[in-house]
Amino acid sequence: MTLPNFLTIGAAKSGTTAIYTYIKQHPDIFMSTPKELRFFSYSGPYPKNLSEDYIHRGVTTLEEYQQYFKDVGTEKIIGEASPMYLYRPGTAEKIKKVIPNVKMLAILRNPINRAFSSYMHAIRDWRESADSFKSALDKEQDRIDAGWGMLWHYKNAGFYYQQLKRYYQIFNSDQIKVVLYDDLVLDSQALIKDVFTFLDIDQSFEPDTSSHPNISGFPKSNKFHEFMRKLFMQDNPIKRISRVLFPKSFRRQVMEKMREPNLEKRKMPQEVRNELIDVFHDDIINLEKLIQQDLSLWLK
């Protein structure tokens, strides 16, 4: 039975896709395809009366989970990356039961910026109906109560101290590696080398870190964004033909290449940022002590 000995557990919108893309290039690392299997965070039936647009589905059985690792060869590190693992209560306990000696990587981003990035992600993917970030935050608890997935838990997904504490209570600290998104942006090669050291594999290997996958943003042209939605998300002859001719991964790449030039970054309203600084203040202070890293910039 082949199971992972390495998991990237989160946090969402903090560079997990970039790290997955970079480390899977190492000859000693096998990472699952797709990236997010979400097996350990599955906790029961999905909501029946909720649109599929708002559900994050994943693997539900151990037997199915194993199938994603059937092609493992001589790689020393076998892994997958599901950001939901850090957030979902009960996940750490399930991991401990199935793969108790696993090594885990958490990459953390300023929770305020992470929340806004998650909102931009939902806008980008045509899955956010709120007309402003403030409005989306106001709707958050109602959406959580209705069973909406983690993407829309803009604020709640950012309490890292509460989330990481569960892992430190269950696992030995040397099984957990915490890195910061800021360091990934500053020097991706150095951060990846640090991850390779944690995994005890050849640190001299230098992956190509030139790509920046899963970029979020607001549409420059709403008309073009709406055209893209109809082309790729609604049923039409072009979409039906492409499904027959091309695999899903290729269709996704084409969509991203077409969509990306129409995206732009925008600043979060300062009054909303100030409110969120107050919301996250105590959790950030406690997180600093837990991971023994200076996070003072997150509160400015």
Side-chain angles (χ1 to χ4, degrees), residues 81-276:
S82 295
M84 199 177 292
Y85 290 168
L86 180 63
Y87 179 55
R88 185 75 68 188
T91 300
E93 291 84 351
K94 190 173 180 181
I95 293 172
K96 179 70 173 181
K97 183 178 180 180
V98 179
I99 44 176
N101 299 317
V102 68
K103 286 189 173 184
M104 291 165 288
L105 174 70
I107 177 167
L108 306 180
R109 182 180 189 177
N110 180 327
I112 301 161
N113 295 340
R114 191 221 69 81
F116 195 54
S117 178
S118 192
Y119 171 70
M120 287 193 290
H121 182 123
I123 291 283
R124 181 199 72 183
D125 286 357
W126 307 282
R127 293 193 289 175
E128 178 52 79
S129 58
D131 58 4
S132 70
F133 185 42
K134 179 66 167 64
S135 177
L137 291 173
D138 291 341
K139 297 173 184 289
E140 181 170 328
Q141 191 56 53
D142 289 339
R143 290 170 166 183
I144 292 173
D145 293 342
W148 286 39
M150 183 182 64
L151 176 64
W152 297 270
H153 299 200
Y154 301 128
K155 181 172 60 179
N156 278 266
F159 292 101
Y160 306 138
Y161 170 72
Q162 298 177 15
Q163 298 162 20
L164 265 179
K165 182 173 66 172
R166 298 192 290 258
Y167 281 85
Y168 280 102
Q169 289 171 342
I170 293 173
F171 293 93
N172 294 328
S173 59
D174 61 2
Q175 292 179 250
I176 305 168
K177 176 72 174 176
V178 178
V179 298
L180 301 181
Y181 174 84
D182 309 275
D183 294 328
L184 177 68
V185 174
L186 182 65
D187 191 341
S188 58
Q189 286 286 353
L191 185 141
I192 295 302
K193 184 176 181 179
D194 195 24
V195 173
F196 291 160
T197 301
F198 170 64
L199 297 176
D200 194 24
I201 55 177
D202 181 14
Q203 299 109 47
S204 65
F205 178 80
E206 295 187 2
D208 177 4
T209 58
S210 60
S211 65
H212 303 282
N214 205 23
I215 294 175
S216 300
F218 290 91
K220 300 174 185 176
S221 167
N222 289 324
K223 288 184 178 180
F224 182 73
H225 197 61
E226 177 62 16
F227 166 75
M228 292 278 288
R229 184 187 69 82
K230 292 179 179 179
L231 178 63
F232 289 104
M233 307 303 288
Q234 293 185 352
D235 185 47
N236 58 71
I238 295 176
K239 185 175 180 180
R240 289 195 294 270
I241 293 172
S242 67
R243 279 179 171 174
V244 175
L245 297 177
F246 306 109
K248 183 178 180 180
S249 59
F250 177 79
R251 300 197 308 270
R252 179 78 185 182
Q253 288 175 6
V254 171
M255 180 184 71
E256 290 175 352
K257 288 292 185 183
M258 291 180 63
R259 182 177 59 187
E260 188 173 314
N262 190 47
L263 298 175
E264 66 179 0
K265 299 293 184 184
R266 297 178 188 171
K267 288 186 177 182
M268 185 190 317
Q270 189 60 45
E271 62 273 15
V272 177
R273 179 176 291 278
N274 292 340
E275 290 176 10
L276 291 178

